[in-house]
């Protein structure tokens, strides 16, 4: 219970005992002399000097009250001499942020009016108190390291969404994000700040200066000669951008870094401080003194051994002390300055927390002698102070500060009654207690002491060329042993590794303490004082997840920072697995944590609320309606019809609300209070519950509590209403495991509460942990980039001639800068590897992957009920594997993970089965599964895992991949088929295309699965002959599927290549305009994508022709001739477009536009060549004859297109590329020069990519086609116009339609019948097509 004006709102106990008049000789517990000596010892007067005990006035309990009051009054300033307003300061006390009129923009402000979060572009707010004379200070606790300007302003300053503190004449600010100071103009100043830093803002109005300090270190005078005098007073003020947050300390708590001569804006409670210290001294006297009644003397003893034994004399003395001490301990300043420091002092001796039972005894004393509201407020303020101290303590080499505060937190939470109170009311409801499990990463390595821990730095200095150009495949995931490492480099590396180990050991001490705290919160045996801690924690943890799940995208400031989530997840996994294994040791029949999974009944029995998270089968309300019979038959769960109707109405209401939810915040504020989640809080602790808007000044009251369910679709108990019986179950009640399906084994798994916590851990990883793991990889990327830059600079220095001293000087400067940056980054990377990417953290993520795989497998066994599984289980399975492969390597090898090969196979089976699972309806999750499978088949190890899954599943996967492309995302399917072929095709053994060797992929900001695909695209080819064989068998045996598959491939190729040609026409037109033009980058990306799709579709056709040539060449198959003619038509179109003289393709390639790097002759011409070689050279005589006949009969065929492949000019002489128009110079200056100087494309130029055998086949093909074309020209009789097909006028009439008898060539009618059954001419339905030959003339 908070206090106002030093007076407690509730009445409290009076511990004064009966007087002697009421009850004579009540002090008979001990004799009067011994009692007097004891009380004088416990309550010594500060005014009396050392007196002889015999001359001291006797003191008994009847006089103790007045004696204590006199003692507390000693040294207190008389009331008349107290100055409520210190000179030089104006404004109310306590000092807070001005939430009524002193702000601009949108802001969230905490309950205590000291924490603030920006909620618009650039919001500003000032304090309620100003200063005009003297030296003053306040502190700002930085919660986020983004754009903020902190300092001072006058009342006349006017701010807006663009200008804040420091942007007006009478305002001054420090900006640690950009490392600058601001007063209308800006200059460099200070150091960069980071989350967890404390900025001290000092103003000296006597000298006219403003100074800033960072973590107690002065940054120097920022401003001098500031405006002072009559009418000028300065307010503390801040401007901050969206989502940035800070907390102010004007003096309501002790300043962390007080500056000599500077006063806090808010007066410290001096009188109360004096009283609290004296009372604490009395308590210490009680703890260190014992009464020997037998010998009638006082004994000194170690206070650490003190126990609360119920001795009346001691208890009565303590009761008098707490009569005054208890109200003081409701004030945050006194708790932090007096109580917390006293408790920390108890633990200073070291040793385990168990070796200091005095804190447990003191907490027993608190609960015994303080009112409930007093002890509650005291514990709340104590935990807030500990959390603040932990978060804003500087990083030192041994992490001593963090360890100190965590030890005290552990000691407090070991006290059962205190732990349950804090769990029920404080840890998640008031505090950001997740902060206790976070270890912040130091941005300033030197200040963190990492130079002492890691005196020697190291980074890679030898790079494999291909690996280097590929950005070490985006971090060197294929780690190689250092080549040609010198002895000096080896010593440096080993010294660096030893330093990293020292750092890791110190971090592990902190992590062990954090795990101890969570183990205390997961205690399920402390039932003597009510519900066990674990069940309280579980319900609070679930609400925490709800807040973070429901506010994603809507209230980004409401989310727990992802860097906190990462640390919390790892500690929670460790604690949960420990509790799980402890239970399995007691019950050997249950599973160990190594085999943990979440049973499928949790997903559909309504015992666990999954909020509005998507299920695999769609909305929960829809699943309940459509699968209610399956629930009844398989899980014995009956859905109440009224509940289904209610859920349907909720869906309608939700649709209406979703539109309102998208209205801008300003509009919501105009209408009244804006509902907001309780996670929103200041950087330290308090929950913000005021929303400030200049559009409508409205305090958020009443505030809508999150505990109120919003249109829930799952009918279940509210989280906070659940009891242990609801979770664990009882006789005849399965609790969370209600509705076990027949397929689920009937065996104990673990405590049901642990199952729900594991489910929450999986959800937490999906919410933000994976995203954060990807972000931290950037530091490793930076180390690599700087190492490459340093090596390049050193090579330039070695090559630079000595006479160019000016160049050498610049190179040496660059070398120094790169080396300093690498020293800093290598130490920072050591910290990140120890806290985020260590072997232990990798095992946690791997365990999570295995949990998800087993959970999906068990859910899949339930047939239709699999649709109830939340989507995030599949997401976490895919993302966890991606993280293990891309983020934790190369420092930790995946091959060392236990059972890794089997896990890979299990995941491969899941991807292969569910990417086309009809039970999964969500478009996003289906796309993710397809992308994950595409990435999976790119790596040899994971591809072999796909080959290890049962044959039935492999064949089913290939059948799904060969389904008609029109029914699903065909581009991703095509990618998978291409990867299975890559390495087998014509000239298709490259890792990267020849013209792209000197470029690097730019995909650092891509989502995880897309980034994984980008990395995979640069892996060495690893074809799968086994899966190719399955594909061949399917296409060979199922003629209908083969025809539909190839028709869809040909349709998509026609579309993709046509789109590509249309786009490059637009690009060329833009280049030819005389004015300067800029092509839209999105258009360039789409153009490049269409080209890449065309190449990949051609490769799939090459694979099909190679594996199952009879699909095209065996004309006994009904669609073979049509497919071959379509294939020939498309191949001729591609060749003509790419190889024609002075063609459009050449011009655009020569422009070398950014975004079109992949567009080049080689990939598309080689793919076409592979198809032609297969049908014209590698086949049998009948097949090659048919193929040649169809190819030559196509009106688009040109022999010089084939000759172009070998660099032969053919019938048309000269270069195939035209000069680039001069008008395109502004668009691509690098493309200057005549194209006649450019070499003609030729396969001979790619000796490293095309084998001699392949070149010989192309020459044989050219020779064969040349001969065939001569024979065809000689044998072709002149054809009259009457005999030509009336549709294409390219071929002779060769088919007659039934029943209408109209005629055309076979190519035209076959292509027409693919999409339409009506006659070209009369629209009659065609029932058959017969061969037609012109009758001989009579």
């Amino acid at each position: 219970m908070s206090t106002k004006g030093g007076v407690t709102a509730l009445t409290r106990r009076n511990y004064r005992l009966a007087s002697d008049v009421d009850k004579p000789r009540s002090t008979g517990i001990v004799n009067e002399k011994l009692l007097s000596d004891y009380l004088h010892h416990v309550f010594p007067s500060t005014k009396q000097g050392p007196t002889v005990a015999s001359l001291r006035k006797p003191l008994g309990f009847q006089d103790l009250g007045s004696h204590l009051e006199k003692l507390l009054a000693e040294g207190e300033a008389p009331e008349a001499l107290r100055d409520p307003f210190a000179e030089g300061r104006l404004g109310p006390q306590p000092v807070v942020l001005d939430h009524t009129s002193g702000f601009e923009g949108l802001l969230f402000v905490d309950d205590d009016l000291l924490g603030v979060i920006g909620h618009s572009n650039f919001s500003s707010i000032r304090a309620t108190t100003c200063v005009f004379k003297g030296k003053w200070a306040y502190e700002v606790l930085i919660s986020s390291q983004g754009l903020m300007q902190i300092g001072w302003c006058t009342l006349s300053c006017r701010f807006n969404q663009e200008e804040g503190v420091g942007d007006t004449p009478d305002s001054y600010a420090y900006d640690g994000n950009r490392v600058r100071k601001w007063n209308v103009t800006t200059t460099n100043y200070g150091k960069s700040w980071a989350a967890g830093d404390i900025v001290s803002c000092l103003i000296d109005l006597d000298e006219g200066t403003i100074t800033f300090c960072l973590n107690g270190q002065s940054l120097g005078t920022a401003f001098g000669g500031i405006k002072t005098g009559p009418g000028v007073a300065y307010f503390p003020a801040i401007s901050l951008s969206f989502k940035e947050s800070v907390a102010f300390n004007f003096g309501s708590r002790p300043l962390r870094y007080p500056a000599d001569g500077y006063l806090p804006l808010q007066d410290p409670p001096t009188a109360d401080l004096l009283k609290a210290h004296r009372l604490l001294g009395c308590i210490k006297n009680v703890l260190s003194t014992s009464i020997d009644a037998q010998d009638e003397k006082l004994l000194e003893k170690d206070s650490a051994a003190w126990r609360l034994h119920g001795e009346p004399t001691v208890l009565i003395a303590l009761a008098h002390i707490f009569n005054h001490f208890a109200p003081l301990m409701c004030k945050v300043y006194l708790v932090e300055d007096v109580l917390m420091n006293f408790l920390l002092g108890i633990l200073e001796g070291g040793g385990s927390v168990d070796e200091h039972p005095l804190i447990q005894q003191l907490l027993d004393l608190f609960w015994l002698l303080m009112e409930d509201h007093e002890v509650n407020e005291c514990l709340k303020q104590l935990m807030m102070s500990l959390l603040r101290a932990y978060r804003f303590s500087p990083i030192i080499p041994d992490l001593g500060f963090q360890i100190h505060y965590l030890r005290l937190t552990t000691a407090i939470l070991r006290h059962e009654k205190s732990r349950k109170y804090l769990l029920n009311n404080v840890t998640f409801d008031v505090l950001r207690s997740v902060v206790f499990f976070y270890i912040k990463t130091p941005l300033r390595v030197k200040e963190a002491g990492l130079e002492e821990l890691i005196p020697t730095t190291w980074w890679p200095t030898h790079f494999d060329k291909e690996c280097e150009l590929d950005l070490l495949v985006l971090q060197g995931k294929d780690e190689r042993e250092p080549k040609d490492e010198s002895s000096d480099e080896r010593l440096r590396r080993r010294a660096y590794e030893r330093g990293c180990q020292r750092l890791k050991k110190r971090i592990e001490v902190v992590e062990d303490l954090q795990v101890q705290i969570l183990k205390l919160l997961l205690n399920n045996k402390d039932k003597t004082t009510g519900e066990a801690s674990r069940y309280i924690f579980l319900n609070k943890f679930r609400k925490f997840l709800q807040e973070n799940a429901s506010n994603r995208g809507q209230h980004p400031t409401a989310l727990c920072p992802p860097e906190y989530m990462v640390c919390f997840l790892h500690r929670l996994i460790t604690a949960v697995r420990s509790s799980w294994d402890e239970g399995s040791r007691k019950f050997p029949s249950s599973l160990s944590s190594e085999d943990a999974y979440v049973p499928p009944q949790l997903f559909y029995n309504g015992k666990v609320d999954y909020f509005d998270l998507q299920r695999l089968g769609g909305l929960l309300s829809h699943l309940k309606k459509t699968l209610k019979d399956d629930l009844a038959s398989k899980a014995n769960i009956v859905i109440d019809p009224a509940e289904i109707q209610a859920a349907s109405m909720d869906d309608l209401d939700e649709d209406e609300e979703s539109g309102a939810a998208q209205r801008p915040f300003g509009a919501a504020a105009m209408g009244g209070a804006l509902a907001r989640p309780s996670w929103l809080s200041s950087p330290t602790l308090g929950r913000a519950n005021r929303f400030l808007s200049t559009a409508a000044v409205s305090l958020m009251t009443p505030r809508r509590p999150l505990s109120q369910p919003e249109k829930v679709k799952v009918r279940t108990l509210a989280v906070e209403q659940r009891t242990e019986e609801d979770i664990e179950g009882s006789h005849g009640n399965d609790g969370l495991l209600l509705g076990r399906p027949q397929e689920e084994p009937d065996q104990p798994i673990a405590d049901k509460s642990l199952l729900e916590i594991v489910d929450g851990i999986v959800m937490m990883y999906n919410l933000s942990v994976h995203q954060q793991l990807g972000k931290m990889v950037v530091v490793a990327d930076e180390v690599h980039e700087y190492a490459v830059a340093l090596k390049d600079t050193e090579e330039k220095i070695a090559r630079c001639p000595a006479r160019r001293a000016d160049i050498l000087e610049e190179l040496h400067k660059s070398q120094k800068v790169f080396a300093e940056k690498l020293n800093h980054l290598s130490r920072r990377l050591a910290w990140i590897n120890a806290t985020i990417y260590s072997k232990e953290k990798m095992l946690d993520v791997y365990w999570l992957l295995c949990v998800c795989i087993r959970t999906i497998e068990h859910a899949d066994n339930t047939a239709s009920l699999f649709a109830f599984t939340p989507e995030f289980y599949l997401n976490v399975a895919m993302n966890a594997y991606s993280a293990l492969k891309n983020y934790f390597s190369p420092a930790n090898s995946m091959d060392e993970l236990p059972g890794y090969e089997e896990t890979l196979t299990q995941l491969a089976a899941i991807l292969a089965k569910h990417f086309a699972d009809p039970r999964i309806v969500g478009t996003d999750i289906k796309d993710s599964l397809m992308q994950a499978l595409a990435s999976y088949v790119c790596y040899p190890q994971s591809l072999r895992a796909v080959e290890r899954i049962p044959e039935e599943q492999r064949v089913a996967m290939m059948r799904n991949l060969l389904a008609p492309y029109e029914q699903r995302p065909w581009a991703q399917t095509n990618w998978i088929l291409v990867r299975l072929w890559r390495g087998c095709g014509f000239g298709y053994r490259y890792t990267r295309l020849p013209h792209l060797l000197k470029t690097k992929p730019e995909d650092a900001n891509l989502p995880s699965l897309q980034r994984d695909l980008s990395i995979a695209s640069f892996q060495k080819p690893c074809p799968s002959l086994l899966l190719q064989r399955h594909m061949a068998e399917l296409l060979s045996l199922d003629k209908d599927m083969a025809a539909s598959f190839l028709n869809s491939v040909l349709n998509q190729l026609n579309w993709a290549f046509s789109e590509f040609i249309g786009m490059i026409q637009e690009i060329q037109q833009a280049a030819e305009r005389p004015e300067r033009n800029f092509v839209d980058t999105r258009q360039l990306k789409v153009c490049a994508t269409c080209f890449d799709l065309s190449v990949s579709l051609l490769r799939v056709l090459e694979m099909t022709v190679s594996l199952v040539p009879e699909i095209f060449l065996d004309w006994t198959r009904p669609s073979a001739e049509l497919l071959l003619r379509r294939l020939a038509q498309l191949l001729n179109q591609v060749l003509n477009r790419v190889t024609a003289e002075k063609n459009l393709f050449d011009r655009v390639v020569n422009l070398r536009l950014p975004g079109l790097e992949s567009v080049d002759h080689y990939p598309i011409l080689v793919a076409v060549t592979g198809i032609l070689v297969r049908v014209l050279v590698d086949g049998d005589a009948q097949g090659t004859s048919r193929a040649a006949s169809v190819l030559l009969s196509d009106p688009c065929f040109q022999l010089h297109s084939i000759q172009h492949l070998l660099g032969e000019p053919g019938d048309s002489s000269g270069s195939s590329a035209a000069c680039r128009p001069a008008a395109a110079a502004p668009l691509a200056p690098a493309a200057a020069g005549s194209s006649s100087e450019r070499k003609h494309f030729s396969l001979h130029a790619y000796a490293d990519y095309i084998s001699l055998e392949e070149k010989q086949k192309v020459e044989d093909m050219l020779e064969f086609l040349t001969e065939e074309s001569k024979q065809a020209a000689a044998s072709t009789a002149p054809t009259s116009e009457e005999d030509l097909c009336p549709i294409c006028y390219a071929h002779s009439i060769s088919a007659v339609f039934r029943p209408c008898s109209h005629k055309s060539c076979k190519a035209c009618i076959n292509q027409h019948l693919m999409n339409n059954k009506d006659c070209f001419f009369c629209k009659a339905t065609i029932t058959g097509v017969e061969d037609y030959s012109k009758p001989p003339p009579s």
Side-chain angles (χ1 to χ4, degrees), residues 18 32 51 91 100 121 166-167 185 203 232-233 325 338 357 373 391 506 583 657 685 688 770 792 907 1128 1150 1157 1252:
E32 291 184 357
T51 57
T100 57
N121 183 43
D167 297 325
T185 60
I203 188 169
V232 179
F325 189 67
V338 179
H373 71 274
R391 184 176 185 190
R506 300 191 179 189
E657 291 181 359
L685 7 118
H770 181 74
D792 183 55
L907 182 57
N1150 289 340
E1157 292 88 356
L1252 293 174

Side-chain angles (χ1 to χ4, degrees), residues 415 429 808 819 1178:
H415 189 265
D429 298 275
L808 273 174
D1178 292 341

Side-chain angles (χ1 to χ4, degrees), residues 1210-1227:
D1211 298 332
S1212 303
S1213 59
S1215 172
S1216 63
C1219 295
R1220 182 185 54 78
L1227 192 143

Side-chain angles (χ1 to χ4, degrees), residues 139-151:
E139 290 180 344
V140 181
L141 286 65
I142 304 296
S143 176
S144 59
Q145 60 195 49
L147 180 59
M148 295 179 281
Q149 293 173 197
I150 301 170

Side-chain angles (χ1 to χ4, degrees), residues 39-40 43-45 59 63-72:
L39 294 180
H40 275 295
F43 304 98
S45 173
L59 180 62
D63 305 316
L64 183 55
S66 58
H67 174 78
L68 185 54
E69 288 177 0
K70 290 178 182 177
L71 183 65
L72 295 177

Side-chain angles (χ1 to χ4, degrees), residues 213-444:
C213 303
L214 189 63
N215 296 327
Q217 295 184 357
S218 175
L219 303 177
T221 301
F223 304 101
I226 64 173
K227 184 178 178 181
T228 58
V232 179
Y234 289 93
F235 292 82
I238 185 174
S239 297
L240 63 173
S241 56
F242 183 64
K243 291 201 300 183
E244 305 304 331
S245 57
V246 298
F248 286 84
N249 181 12
F250 299 114
S252 60
R253 303 181 301 274
L255 295 182
R256 179 63 62 87
Y257 303 106
D260 291 339
Y262 288 84
L263 299 174
L265 267 74
Q266 181 172 325
D267 292 330
T270 309
D272 286 344
L273 267 175
L274 183 62
K275 290 180 183 178
H277 280 295
R278 286 182 178 172
L279 290 166
L280 183 60
C282 297
I283 294 175
K284 291 178 180 177
N285 290 337
V286 172
L287 301 179
S288 61
T289 307
S290 64
I291 304 173
D292 186 345
Q294 185 174 0
D295 294 339
E296 297 185 353
K297 63 180 180 179
L298 303 179
L299 301 175
E300 293 290 330
K301 66 175 183 179
D302 183 6
S303 60
W306 186 83
R307 298 290 183 275
L308 181 62
H309 293 307
E311 300 171 9
T313 304
V314 175
L315 284 177
I316 295 170
L318 287 170
H320 279 86
I321 296 173
F322 273 84
N323 196 37
H324 298 274
F325 189 67
L328 296 176
M329 290 300 102
C330 296
K331 300 179 180 180
V332 58
Y333 196 107
L334 302 178
V335 169
E336 188 166 324
D337 190 67
V338 179
L339 180 60
M340 187 174 80
N341 288 332
F342 168 58
L343 296 177
L344 287 170
I346 294 174
L347 297 174
E348 276 183 354
S352 68
V353 176
D354 297 339
E355 297 173 12
H356 300 279
L358 178 58
I359 292 179
Q360 308 299 305
Q361 298 294 317
L362 288 172
L363 289 172
D364 283 337
L365 201 59
F366 277 36
W367 285 101
L368 177 66
L369 299 178
M370 294 172 69
E371 293 281 2
D372 287 345
H373 71 274
E374 290 172 340
V375 70
N376 291 348
E377 184 66 18
C378 177
L379 285 172
K380 172 186 166 183
Q381 297 296 348
L382 180 58
M383 290 302 290
M384 291 174 78
S385 298
L386 278 171
L387 185 66
R388 188 183 302 111
Y390 174 79
R391 184 176 185 190
F392 292 96
S393 292
I395 299 290
I396 58 175
D398 63 354
L399 297 171
F401 290 118
Q402 285 74 17
I403 293 171
H404 207 35
Y405 298 124
L406 286 174
R407 279 165 53 80
L408 179 53
T409 304
T410 306
I412 293 170
L413 291 175
R414 288 181 65 82
H415 189 265
E416 181 178 328
K417 192 171 183 180
S418 301
R419 176 173 67 249
K420 290 186 178 179
Y421 165 73
L422 291 170
L423 262 175
N424 267 313
N425 303 285
V426 177
T427 49
F428 283 97
D429 298 275
V430 178
L431 301 182
R432 282 185 168 186
S433 52
V434 177
V435 173
F436 276 126
F437 310 106
Y438 174 55
I439 302 178
K440 63 183 178 182
T441 303
L443 290 182
R444 293 175 298 278

Side-chain angles (χ1 to χ4, degrees), residues 934-989:
S935 171
Y936 222 69
V937 299
C938 292
Y939 297 89
Q941 194 173 22
S942 51
L943 180 59
R944 299 293 89 83
V946 176
E947 295 176 341
R948 286 196 300 270
I949 66 177
E951 182 176 358
E952 181 182 354
Q953 294 184 21
R954 293 197 306 268
V955 173
M957 178 188 76
M958 294 306 299
R959 184 181 297 277
N960 287 325
L961 288 173
L962 296 175
Y965 277 11
E966 288 82 357
Q967 300 176 9
R968 56 199 162 79
W970 56 272
Q972 295 169 2
T973 303
N974 198 70
W975 166 271
I976 296 173
L977 294 175
V978 166
R979 291 300 307 191
L980 299 179
W981 177 246
R982 188 172 182 176
C984 295
F986 184 91
Y988 202 33
R989 294 169 294 278

Side-chain angles (χ1 to χ4, degrees), residues 525-582:
K525 301 292 187 279
D526 53 347
K527 303 177 183 178
T528 56
T529 57
E531 191 176 15
S533 298
R534 180 185 295 176
Y535 305 107
I536 306 172
F537 172 82
L538 175 57
N539 291 335
K540 297 295 180 181
F541 176 56
R542 207 72 196 181
K543 283 193 66 178
F544 165 80
L545 293 174
Q546 180 183 6
E547 289 183 6
N548 283 272
S550 60
N551 287 292
R552 292 175 64 82
Q554 298 179 10
H555 297 279
T557 52
L559 303 179
C560 174
E563 58 269 25
Y564 295 1
M565 283 280 210
V566 173
C567 295
F568 184 37
L569 175 120
H570 287 298
R571 308 305 174 267
L572 191 54
I573 287 176
T574 305
V576 165
R577 293 193 64 181
S578 174
S579 299
W580 187 305
D581 290 333
E582 183 181 339

